[in-house]
């Protein structure tokens, strides 16, 4: 499965194409104990009035994503089969079809946050950035989102997770700066923290019961946390794509 979301009005579309690549957070999984999805790619396509595809390999870590760069088909832990699953193959096929991706959004690293050395995790993410940049795409490197328990002072069981979460984002931001100095067209954006800050004391409702994935938010079906921070991504005109146009305004979905 590779879901494509067309611009709502093709006659006003930008003609640009975005690929969102990552794990279950990109897939829009609404919790570990279900198989329901609300990908942020869908809302992003509507807000920017452009075409957005996504590949969200639930349960996969960054090493698996690097190892599968050329994979034509892979099944994730939710038994969803993605075709193509590999980032490089998806980019190559789009290029071969004369319809290349202009922007690639990469959000991954959660699934091996505490099981892989942070430096290895970041190195894998940089490999994904490089892969996308090699095809001429602008790269958006999204910070690893936080866990709900980190909204307040975590208990001892979460201290290692907190340390690793802070460490991976600090190293990832530094790595992106180094890439920029080498001429790579990549930016680092912490969209999740921005959305949580805007939610204020109600931030916990953005999470599902597992504390990691985003929950569905009533009343509008499209108002999932994934869609919420897609609407706010990236806040500030200095990060908004220049091709988004004047119709691509931020929407306040906080209710």
């Amino acid at each position: 499965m590779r879901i494509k979301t067309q611009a709502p009005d093709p006659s006003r579309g930008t003609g640009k194409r975005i690929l969102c690549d990552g794990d279950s957070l990109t897939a829009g999984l609404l919790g570990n104990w279900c198989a329901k999805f609300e990908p942020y790619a869908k809302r992003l396509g509507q807000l920017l009035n452009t075409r957005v595809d996504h590949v969200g390999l639930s349960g996969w870590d960054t090493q698996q994503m690097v190892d599968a760069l050329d994979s034509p088909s892979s099944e994730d832990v939710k038994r969803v089969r993605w075709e193509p699953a590999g980032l490089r193959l998806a980019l190559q096929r789009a290029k071969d079809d004369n319809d290349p991706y202009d922007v690639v959004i990469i959000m991954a690293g959660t699934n091996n946050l505490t099981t892989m050395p942070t430096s290895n995790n970041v190195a894998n993410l940089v490999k994904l950035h490089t892969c996308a940049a090699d095809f001429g795409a602008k790269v958006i490197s999204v910070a690893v989102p936080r866990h709900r328990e980190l909204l307040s002072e975590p208990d001892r069981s979460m201290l290692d997770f907190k340390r690793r979460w802070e460490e991976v984002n600090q190293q990832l931001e530094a790595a992106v700066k180094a890439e920029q100095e080498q001429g790579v067209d990549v930016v680092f954006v912490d969209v999740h923290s921005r959305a949580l800050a805007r939610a204020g004391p109600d931030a916990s409702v953005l999470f599902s019961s597992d504390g990691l994935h985003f929950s569905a938010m009533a009343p509008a079906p499209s108002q999932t946390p994934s869609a919420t921070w897609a609407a706010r991504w990236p806040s500030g005109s200095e990060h908004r794509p220049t091709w988004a146009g004047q119709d691509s305004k931020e929407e306040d979905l906080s209710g």
Side-chain angles (χ1 to χ4, degrees):
M1 175 177 69
R2 182 158 62 92
I3 302 174
K4 178 182 289 187
T5 304
Q6 296 289 345
D9 182 355
S11 67
R12 296 191 306 115
T14 64
K16 300 294 182 178
R17 192 178 184 193
I18 299 173
L19 175 63
C20 306
D21 192 54
D23 51 32
S24 59
L25 296 176
T26 295
L29 183 65
L30 296 179
N32 274 329
W33 317 119
C34 72
K36 297 179 179 180
F37 303 85
E38 282 286 353
Y40 76 85
K42 178 180 179 180
R43 189 64 178 139
L44 188 62
Q46 295 168 345
L47 290 168
L48 296 182
N49 197 34
T50 196
R51 296 175 300 158
V52 183
D53 297 344
H54 77 278
V55 175
L57 293 149
S58 297
W60 278 40
D61 61 35
T62 56
Q63 188 61 58
Q64 289 173 291
M65 293 174 68
V66 168
D67 291 342
L69 280 173
D70 298 302
S71 174
S73 177
S74 294
E75 185 175 277
D76 64 24
V77 299
K78 289 298 179 179
R79 306 189 74 173
V80 176
R81 180 161 293 280
W82 296 87
E83 298 178 353
L87 176 60
R88 184 158 53 212
L89 183 58
L91 293 167
Q92 184 63 58
R93 287 187 177 179
K95 180 181 178 180
D96 292 344
D97 290 340
N98 293 317
D99 192 18
Y101 288 104
D102 301 277
V103 178
V104 175
I105 304 173
I106 297 173
M107 179 173 63
T110 298
N111 291 319
N112 49 313
L113 194 62
T114 60
T115 59
M116 176 185 292
T118 300
S119 58
N120 291 6
N121 201 0
V122 172
N124 286 335
L125 290 167
V126 170
K127 290 177 182 177
L128 296 174
H129 299 169
T130 301
C131 175
D134 284 346
F135 282 85
K138 298 178 183 296
V139 183
I140 309 292
S141 177
V142 179
V144 176
R146 72 183 68 198
H147 193 281
R148 182 184 58 203
E149 298 302 316
L150 301 187
L151 293 177
S152 57
E153 189 62 31
D155 60 31
R156 294 185 63 180
S157 66
M158 289 293 293
L159 288 178
D160 185 55
F161 185 96
K162 178 183 180 183
R163 179 182 64 82
R164 291 292 194 98
W165 171 75
E166 292 174 341
E167 188 176 74
V168 73
N169 283 325
Q170 289 169 358
Q171 291 190 23
L172 180 57
E173 185 172 18
V176 167
K177 289 181 179 178
E179 290 180 276
Q180 291 172 338
E181 292 173 357
Q182 296 170 5
V184 179
D185 195 356
V186 57
V187 294
F188 174 87
V189 184
D190 187 354
V191 291
H192 195 225
S193 292
R194 296 181 186 191
L196 292 173
R198 288 187 64 173
D202 297 324
S204 62
V205 304
L206 297 179
F207 295 89
S208 69
S209 59
D210 64 18
L212 180 63
H213 295 92
F214 308 127
S215 65
M217 287 176 16
S222 64
Q223 288 183 338
T224 62
S226 297
T228 299
W229 59 257
R232 299 164 179 168
W233 165 81
S235 65
S237 59
E238 70 276 12
H239 291 302
R240 184 169 295 279
T242 56
W243 42 261
Q246 295 183 351
D247 292 327
S248 301
K249 298 178 180 178
E250 262 189 309
E251 221 174 295
D252 187 353
L253 301 181
S254 59

